């Protein structure tokens, strides 16, 4: 079974704080993805990575950055958290981009 | 550009009755289409996928979807709903970008199953 773990299920941060969300997978998949999920909007791709140290912007990268120093780990960074970044953040991984395995999500609240 | 439209944000059915979740797609070429399901407090899971082989695709838990090019539709069905089917369902299309294939998600359909 593919296991995708995310560092926190719930997180509360203050406006302006730097926030790190971590995702770890145990299946040696090349591709890793970060999405945010908002009611009525579905999932939107923030960033993805197809190899170590490689990253590409998704549809809504503004206000976010990512880091992939090791194949199994993909971090999402909110440089200066804002209230409009309150959301559910989902990490996914896959050998291809089409079949993705998702983590349980991190629900982030920015006050 | 590739996109999907889920026609219902909420669907409510009685246990034992058929389920129909509707999805229309827009694509400039033959698309790859998927349905993902998200149960409460769980990660998304792939239900089924269409990649230009058989137009009727069978997935897990008794779900199936039919690709209809003439109607640009990929509706998800199940003959008999079970309480455990209550979840949010996402219709998804794969799109080709400069960085490879990406998934574009629909806005989701919340399925409620009543006794």
């Amino acid at each position: 079974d593919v296991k995708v773990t995310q560092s926190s299920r719930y997180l509360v941060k203050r406006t302006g704080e730097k926030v790190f969300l971590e995702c770890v997978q145990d299946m040696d998949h090349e591709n890793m993805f970060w999405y945010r999920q908002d009611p009525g909007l579905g999932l939107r791709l923030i960033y993805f990575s197809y190899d170590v140290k490689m990253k590409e912007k998704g549809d809504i990268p503004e206000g976010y950055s990512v880091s992939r120093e090791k194949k199994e780990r993909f971090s999402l960074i909110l440089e200066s958290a804002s209230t409009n970044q309150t959301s559910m953040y989902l990490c996914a991984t896959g050998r291809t981009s089409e079949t993705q395995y998702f983590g349980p999500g991190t629900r982030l609240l920015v006050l | 550009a590739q996109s999907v439209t889920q026609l219902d944000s909420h669907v409510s059915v009685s246990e034992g009755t058929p389920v129909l979740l509707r999805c229309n797609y827009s694509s400039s070429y033959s698309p790859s289409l998927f349905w993902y399901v998200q149960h409460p407090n769980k990660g998304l899971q792939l239900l089924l996928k269409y990649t230009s082989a058989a137009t009727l695709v069978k997935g897990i838990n008794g779900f199936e979807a039919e690709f209809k090019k003439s109607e640009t539709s990929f509706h998800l069905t199940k003959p008999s709903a079970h309480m455990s089917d209550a979840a949010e369902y996402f219709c998804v299309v794969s799109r080709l970008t400069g960085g490879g294939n990406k998934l574009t998600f629909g806005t989701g359909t919340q399925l409620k199953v009543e006794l």
Side-chain angles (χ1 to χ4, degrees):
Chain A
D1 268 2
V2 177
K3 194 167 177 69
V4 183
T5 57
Q6 295 186 228
S7 48
S8 306
R9 291 300 300 270
Y10 301 94
L11 212 50
V12 180
K13 295 293 182 181
R14 298 264 177 213
T15 302
E17 279 192 78
K18 192 168 186 176
V19 181
F20 294 86
L21 304 181
E22 285 222 313
C23 176
V24 179
Q25 51 109 349
D26 68 352
M27 285 302 293
D28 202 37
H29 287 162
E30 290 78 13
N31 300 289
M32 296 188 76
F33 307 84
W34 275 107
Y35 296 88
R36 63 177 282 175
Q37 181 179 11
D38 300 288
L41 296 178
L43 276 72
R44 292 177 291 166
L45 182 63
I46 304 171
Y47 266 97
F48 67 97
S49 168
Y50 51 89
D51 203 350
V52 175
K53 295 191 187 294
M54 306 302 286
K55 59 186 179 185
E56 294 241 358
K57 292 180 180 179
D59 299 315
I60 51 164
E62 297 78 20
Y64 304 94
S65 62
V66 291
S67 171
R68 192 163 180 204
E69 296 295 319
K70 294 185 178 182
K71 192 173 187 179
E72 68 271 17
R73 191 179 297 266
F74 191 36
S75 300
L76 179 70
I77 304 153
L78 285 64
E79 298 290 343
S80 176
S82 63
T83 54
N84 63 13
Q85 292 179 309
T86 290
S87 186
M88 170 72 90
Y89 289 88
L90 296 172
C91 173
T93 178
R95 199 166 303 285
T96 69
S97 298
E98 295 194 334
T99 301
Q100 296 184 17
Y101 300 89
F102 285 81
T106 296
R107 193 170 292 279
L108 172 66
L109 173 63
V110 182
L111 299 173
Chain B
Q2 283 65 250
S3 65
V4 288
T5 301
Q6 292 184 245
L7 299 170
D8 307 292
S9 59
H10 293 82
V11 169
S12 184
V13 300
S14 299
E15 192 174 32
T17 64
V19 175
L20 170 64
L21 304 184
R22 299 182 296 163
C23 173
N24 286 347
Y25 71 89
S26 171
S27 178
S28 52
Y29 54 87
S30 185
S32 293
L33 292 160
F34 311 79
W35 278 96
Y36 276 79
V37 60
Q38 185 177 36
H39 286 95
N41 300 314
K42 290 191 177 179
L44 275 86
Q45 179 184 20
L46 179 66
L47 206 52
L48 52 81
K49 64 179 178 181
Y50 165 77
T51 54
S52 76
T55 56
L56 184 61
V57 183
K58 293 189 184 299
I60 60 173
N61 300 333
F63 284 93
E64 59 183 38
E66 187 171 8
F67 175 74
K68 290 187 176 180
K69 188 175 180 179
S70 60
E71 298 176 12
T72 61
S73 69
F74 190 58
H75 301 335
L76 182 70
T77 60
K78 184 174 180 178
S80 176
H82 191 271
M83 293 297 290
S84 60
D85 294 328
E88 189 160 23
Y89 293 80
F90 294 92
C91 183
V92 183
V93 65
S94 177
R95 61 195 166 109
L96 185 62
T97 70
N101 287 316
K102 307 293 172 292
L103 298 183
T104 295
F105 285 75
T107 52
T109 298
Q110 192 74 44
L111 176 64
K112 184 178 179 182
V113 182
E114 298 172 317
L115 285 170

